[in-house]
Amino acid sequence: MQTVCAQWFLVHGAHAAILVSLVQTAETLPDVMFGIVGGVLADTLDRRRLLMAVQGSLVVGTSALAALTIAGRMSPALLLLFTFVIGTGSVLTTPAYQSLVLERVPRDRLPAAAQLSSINVNLARAIGPAIAGILIVYIGVGAVFVLDAATLLVYGLVVALWRPSPGTTPQIPERFVSALRAGGRYVHYAPVVRRILLRAALFLVPASALWALLPLIASRRLGLGSGGYGLLLAALGGGAIVGATVLSKVRARLSPSALIELVGVVFGAALVAILVRSTVVVVIVLIPAGMAWVGCWRRSTRCCSCSCPAGCEHEDCPSTRWCSLGRKVSERSPGGRSTTPSDLPSPSSSPPG
């Protein structure tokens, strides 16, 4: 919701094409800069305290964003700065949130839990932007920022009231710098992971242009308001939900490389088709685009998870989150020790299927 409001706040101003794209940059740049840091913090600090501290900071930052917007003191530069700060907070908490699945779910049910978590994320992505677009029409951007701050506060209270199971907090955690270097060494010495990251980047980097420029497509090419923009985002999110549910069937028939090639073709065709000046056509086209996006992300995530050392076969393992434009990398070394070249896959290792 916060991203939708930020982009729509700038879409009708001067230099909108650049500023709207910079909102996506400001949101994603923290993932590239601090993604590894967030993963290391999740493994070296008490996760509950980490989540409470960062969540509280997000509430303060979003509240200040809402207050300045309502007061009419929000400038494009200041909005981009707030977007960057809020994105940084999200990066620092995502690996910790993801790792909680391992603590709350039996190991034999982790695949189903991971799929359910993915569906929930994409469901929120489908419903949240549509709600934001409708609310902007009736209550304005500033009020939606207030609502966003309220939801963050509720989430923080849930974390504060939650008590982790005994033994889940590391008693002798690895030092921050040591863990950071271990994760970097793992990626450096694992050709399998490097190939997965390259293959994912070749899809995700150009495909992210759709998310950055979709507000301009809605407002300038299709003549839609904020509600129409929310509808386009809902179509993307709905396609992602469908993709998350049918991906297992497609994965059984295709190799990882063939699946990435397929979703690349589908997404590329969607980018061409959205040039049509028809809202109905664009909404229909965005559904398979959402399916292709989540298909690439989940396939790359699974491949990276299968390539992780023992003890980190989940979505916040080393370099896994880099597969989504460098998002929320969590560097973990097995057994709380530094990773050495002997722990890593041999150069002859082939990508997991």
Side-chain angles (χ1 to χ4, degrees):
M1 294 176 66
Q2 187 269 336
T3 302
V4 173
C5 291
Q7 290 180 318
W8 201 256
F9 182 83
L10 300 171
V11 77
H12 298 297
H15 311 293
I18 297 177
L19 292 175
V20 170
S21 301
L22 285 177
V23 171
Q24 190 75 17
T25 302
E27 182 189 20
T28 309
L29 186 60
D31 305 330
V32 181
M33 296 176 60
F34 308 119
I36 300 177
V37 174
V40 174
L41 291 177
D43 277 342
T44 57
L45 300 179
D46 183 285
R47 291 168 186 163
R48 178 173 172 270
R49 293 181 179 179
L50 172 65
L51 292 173
M52 290 174 58
V54 178
Q55 200 71 28
S57 301
L58 287 175
V59 172
V60 173
T62 308
S63 300
L65 172 63
L68 290 173
T69 303
I70 294 174
R73 306 296 297 272
M74 182 59 61
S75 65
L78 193 57
L79 179 60
L80 293 175
L81 177 61
F82 271 105
T83 302
F84 177 84
V85 171
I86 294 172
T88 300
S90 177
V91 170
L92 297 180
T93 57
T94 297
Y97 278 127
Q98 290 177 333
S99 63
L100 296 181
V101 176
L102 289 176
E103 299 178 8
R104 309 300 299 177
V105 179
R107 191 172 183 82
D108 59 338
R109 299 183 181 178
L110 280 179
Q115 183 173 4
L116 180 60
S117 176
S118 178
I119 293 174
N120 288 337
V121 169
N122 288 291
L123 183 62
R125 178 178 291 175
I127 298 177
I131 295 177
I134 295 173
L135 291 178
I136 290 173
V137 177
Y138 293 100
I139 63 177
V141 172
V144 177
F145 282 145
V146 173
L147 180 61
D148 192 27
T151 58
L152 290 173
L153 178 60
V154 172
Y155 210 5
L157 292 176
V158 171
V159 174
L161 295 175
W162 169 69
R163 293 293 182 270
S165 302
T168 56
T169 301
Q171 300 300 319
I172 309 179
E174 189 176 7
R175 293 183 179 274
F176 177 85
V177 176
S178 175
L180 195 64
R181 294 175 60 187
R185 284 199 303 271
Y186 176 78
V187 175
H188 177 73
Y189 287 103
V192 174
V193 176
R194 294 202 303 270
R195 289 198 297 269
I196 295 171
L197 295 178
L198 175 61
R199 186 170 57 192
L202 291 175
F203 171 86
L204 293 169
V205 171
S208 63
L210 175 61
W211 298 93
L213 298 177
L214 194 58
L216 297 173
I217 295 173
S219 62
R220 298 192 175 183
R221 293 189 61 86
L222 302 178
L224 301 175
S226 58
Y229 174 44
L231 175 63
L232 299 186
L233 286 173
L236 264 175
I241 295 173
V242 175
T245 56
V246 304
L247 182 63
S248 57
K249 298 180 181 179
V250 177
R251 187 174 62 241
R253 299 175 179 269
L254 299 176
S255 66
S257 297
L259 180 59
I260 296 298
E261 293 171 0
L262 174 62
V263 298
V265 171
V266 172
F267 204 93
L271 289 178
V272 175
I274 61 174
L275 297 177
V276 178
R277 292 180 179 271
S278 170
T279 303
V280 175
V281 172
V282 172
V283 169
I284 295 175
V285 167
L286 287 177
I287 295 175
M291 296 175 63
W293 177 275
V294 78
C296 177
W297 177 74
R298 289 200 63 195
R299 180 69 271 180
S300 301
T301 298
R302 179 177 287 270
C303 288
C304 260
S305 297
C306 293
S307 301
C308 289
C312 34
E313 301 88 344
H314 50 88
E315 291 188 2
D316 62 331
C317 71
S319 80
T320 294
R321 300 300 297 175
W322 265 6
C323 292
S324 181
L325 283 178
R327 303 183 71 171
K328 291 80 174 175
V329 180
S330 176
E331 298 294 358
R332 301 192 62 175
S333 61
R337 57 183 174 85
S338 299
T339 306
T340 62
S342 61
D343 298 317
L344 306 172
S346 64
S348 61
S349 300
S350 57

